[in-house]
Amino acid sequence: MSVNIQGFVANGFEAVLEQFKANFDQGLEHGASLCVQRAGETIVNLWGGYADRAKTNLWQENSLVQFFSATKPMSALVLGMLQDRGFLNFDDPISDLWSEFTQHGKDITIAEALSHQSGVCGLAKPMEQTEWFDLHKIAEKIADAEPLWEPKTASGYHPMTHGYIANELVYRVLGQDLADVFAADIARPLDIEFYIGLPEELQNRYVQFLPPRELPEMGKITEIKKIAFLKKWSVPPRVGVEALSAKIPSNNGCGTTKALASLYGVYANDGYIEGQEIISKSTMQDMTKTRIRGEDLVLNREIDWAAGVMRNTTLTFGPEPKTLGHAGRGGACGFGDPVRNISFAYAPSQHSNAIVGDVRANALITALYGCL
């Protein structure tokens, strides 16, 4: 596929550009963007291909893409800020803020909830997909739900419910939804174009995605996996103005890829973004230490979970075990490498069937580390 690649790479990182082009040449991409920063300085910023399914609009530098679950570590930053301000502690019982949550034995800490240990990886009772748009109604359903396994005994990735738990905790403290706090305290002050819920007036810049060509790689299908991913009501509607505008902290982060790389910089630079401390060093340690590690009941692979972010001890995001990151639906991903102060963000419009570890992202990561 011949495509016009835009952007730049710093001297010494030409191999990343070559791999970005190769992903298109091999027919793996419809449109994509990639940004890499080192200590807050952009060293790779590339985009190319199409921003719509009909191939009438080219991907632009300011195109806004949905990063799906790569949003979760951004939402975790808001909880980290609340710890720094003395409103909560990751090791506090969740009941201190949200007593209703503990029904049916879900008596766990905030960090255990954010590391996918609650047992409510989805909602077992049938409902309308549009109910996901009401954050507090879903929080009530989560509180009422019986866990699908004994909490704290295993992790089971919470594709959607994770963000509603985080949101309700923020709301119980501040009386505001997480997305609004993120915008007011992080995105706007730093002039980073990333939104949890894309405003309607910006949706003309949104990149349309193409569905995967193959079914997701999920291993043996269990009832837990069905509830997390495969029921008719497991996820909200994915298209339409209301779907894009919904302020869902688990999967509805939209922005430029450069914006996401800037935000993952907090994990690469010990709590700092662009020289400004966002999270204190002590809270960063609490956010990013292992909370549970083992075979995840939903993702069908070993995961080392911190509070809202994946630890890279299993080398999902390059060769550095101390890296922190998260994958998103269809192949998107972001990470911060605190050893090399590298932050990375990638997003494709042609979604793949990979849950974690998209081959295109992996090739770009390999090329990047070959230049370091």
Side-chain angles (χ1 to χ4, degrees):
M1 175 182 178
S2 178
V3 65
N4 185 21
I5 305 298
Q6 301 290 315
F8 85 100
V9 295
N11 290 337
F13 291 89
E14 291 83 2
V16 181
L17 171 60
E18 293 307 310
Q19 184 58 56
F20 191 74
K21 290 179 178 177
N23 285 349
F24 281 93
D25 293 341
Q26 294 166 21
L28 300 176
E29 300 285 26
H30 180 85
S33 59
L34 169 69
C35 185
V36 182
Q37 296 183 345
R38 181 166 55 188
E41 179 184 355
T42 300
I43 55 175
V44 175
N45 191 28
L46 299 169
W47 61 93
Y50 298 98
D52 64 339
R53 294 170 182 164
K55 297 185 177 182
T56 56
N57 296 318
L58 294 176
W59 198 305
Q60 305 292 332
E61 183 175 11
N62 69 344
S63 292
L64 301 173
V65 61
Q66 186 177 5
F67 294 100
F68 295 94
S69 288
T71 307
K72 288 181 173 73
M74 305 303 102
S75 300
L77 297 181
V78 177
L79 277 298
M81 292 177 72
L82 293 186
Q83 174 162 305
D84 277 338
R85 295 172 185 177
F87 288 110
L88 55 80
N89 187 286
F90 283 104
D91 291 318
D92 288 342
I94 201 170
S95 58
D96 286 359
L97 296 176
W98 185 9
S99 60
E100 301 93 327
F101 181 88
T102 62
Q103 296 176 74
H104 308 295
K106 302 194 298 295
D107 191 7
I108 60 177
T109 66
I110 292 170
E112 287 164 347
L114 295 176
S115 53
H116 304 270
Q117 299 184 60
S118 79
V120 187
C121 60
L123 294 169
K125 295 180 180 179
M127 62 184 227
E128 296 297 323
Q129 279 187 289
T130 53
E131 291 184 59
W132 288 106
F133 296 147
D134 187 333
L135 274 68
H136 302 289
K137 182 177 182 179
I138 295 296
E140 291 178 5
K141 289 179 180 287
I142 293 169
D144 291 340
E146 294 188 25
L148 298 169
W149 65 91
E150 184 180 348
K152 300 192 285 189
T153 62
S155 72
Y157 180 54
H158 296 28
M160 294 302 305
T161 55
H162 185 275
Y164 293 82
I165 293 170
N167 185 77
E168 190 65 19
L169 291 170
V170 173
Y171 189 81
R172 296 286 174 126
V173 170
L174 298 178
Q176 297 173 270
D177 286 328
L178 187 153
D180 297 326
V181 178
F182 177 89
D185 290 9
I186 299 177
R188 285 202 294 268
L190 293 172
D191 195 25
I192 293 175
E193 193 166 27
F194 188 93
Y195 311 89
I196 300 176
L198 186 60
E200 183 175 353
E201 64 270 19
L202 299 178
Q203 292 184 15
N204 63 317
R205 291 163 53 197
Y206 172 73
V207 173
Q208 297 175 349
F209 66 84
L210 286 72
R213 295 162 178 160
E214 299 175 335
L215 293 174
E217 301 170 343
M218 296 185 64
K220 181 181 178 182
I221 301 300
T222 64
E223 188 63 20
I224 287 174
K225 292 179 184 178
K226 288 179 182 177
I227 290 168
F229 278 121
L230 302 176
K231 299 291 187 181
K232 292 180 180 179
W233 61 88
S234 290
V235 296
R238 296 200 186 277
V239 296
V241 172
E242 189 175 13
L244 285 177
S245 301
K247 297 178 179 180
I248 303 172
S250 40
N251 79 327
N252 227 16
C254 298
T256 64
T257 311
K258 184 177 181 181
L260 190 67
S262 295
L263 289 166
Y264 270 98
V266 80
Y267 294 101
N269 301 294
D270 205 14
Y272 284 77
I273 297 177
E274 298 177 1
Q276 181 172 330
E277 186 179 68
I278 304 302
I279 306 293
S280 70
K281 289 184 178 181
S282 61
T283 293
M284 281 297 295
Q285 290 174 353
D286 281 348
M287 284 178 59
T288 60
K289 68 183 181 182
T290 295
R291 297 294 178 166
I292 192 169
R293 178 176 177 175
E295 188 79 9
D296 189 272
L297 298 178
V298 173
L299 295 181
N300 197 46
R301 62 187 293 168
E302 182 180 346
I303 304 289
D304 187 347
W305 286 113
V309 64
M310 294 178 176
R311 290 166 50 82
N312 196 42
T313 54
T314 55
L315 304 185
T316 301
F317 305 108
E320 175 50 57
K322 293 182 180 180
T323 289
L324 300 140
H326 211 290
R329 181 183 189 270
C333 74
F335 66 77
D337 175 345
V339 175
R340 298 166 183 82
N341 305 117
I342 291 288
S343 57
F344 174 103
Y346 162 76
S349 59
Q350 173 60 65
H351 281 188
S352 76
N353 66 333
I355 301 294
V356 178
D358 181 271
V359 296
R360 298 163 296 181
N362 287 348
L364 292 166
I365 293 167
T366 298
L368 170 65
Y369 277 89
C371 299
L372 294 173

